[in-house]
Amino acid sequence: MSATYAIYTSPNHAPIAYHLPTLIVTPYAHFVSYMQWYQLTLRYSYVHTNYNKESYLLTPSMMGDLCVAKMIPPPNSRYLGGPGGGPPSSDRAVFCEASRSLKWTINNNGIHAPVYKLLLPNPDMPGNDQPLFQISKPNPNAMWWSMFYFTYGGHLIPPKRIEFGRIQKNAVEGNGGGSGTRVTILGRTPEEKAVWQTLGEGNEDMVEWIVLCAALNLIDEEIIKAASVQRTRVPASESSYMSTGQNTGPVRQQPMQKPTGATNSNPSMRSTPNTNTRNPQPSGASKIPPKKKGFLGLKRS
């Protein structure tokens, strides 16, 4: 089993001051008619609420968007201005929960470069989470992030590192790949396929949520890094808008139904965070031209 996803800034949600952009996750494909492709393959949307203090991974439904996963980053780690600010927490763990009582943690414990470790609660040893897999660059100059896990062959044998996927910038738009980020989960060998059975047979979709949430968290942190650089070079009134990113996916011709509002913290229930009641964008925002794309395909100065 293998899968490839494209992640890009939603062309349907206008940038909003002090908020990270809404991201769209779809199966990656070369396409001719974007509208037809979009309607057939839209998988998830990733929205930020409460000034980025909570993030939701939603999936479309005939009865309204359904929340499949919720993420709570450390306090003020996603702060882009606006009310409720404060010093960032020293904690670097992002707490995640999804349908079917699934819970896990994304912990960035890198020193010189980010190393994201995904941990699941250990039912046999409460308080001692067990590692699931990791995400890091193979070297500081690499143009992709490697997703991998370790398999053990006994106490005398070093653990074997199994790379089962990558996160990298998409192909350029002219090549039919669109912009944004591509997440690829390999499935050529039995060891690569084994990641889908991490939570047991029949839970492949839950593994998909964990993988995508890790990739989306990584993208959020890359946007925050870009915003911190921008804030040192542009007026404060403009930097909050620019940090939300610009549309990097193809432009749609028809609007998509947006979440209409709910704050229920139980992710197993329908949850439709309100993305339309945030602060309006600054009046001069539309005059700021996009400059160049960053590593993960989101446009930055």
Side-chain angles (χ1 to χ4, degrees), residues 15-34:
I16 300 175
Y18 313 126
H19 280 79
L20 290 162
T22 296
L23 301 178
I24 297 296
V25 182
T26 70
Y28 179 86
H30 294 279
F31 52 90
V32 177
S33 171
Y34 173 68

Side-chain angles (χ1 to χ4, degrees), residues 18 31 55 107 132 180 189 218 234 250 256 270:
Y18 313 126
F31 52 90
S55 303
N107 193 1
L132 185 63
T189 68
L218 185 155
V234 298
M256 180 183 69
R270 291 194 181 110

Side-chain angles (χ1 to χ4, degrees), residues 78 183 197 237 265:
R78 306 289 193 268
V183 179
Q197 278 71 51
S237 62
S265 62

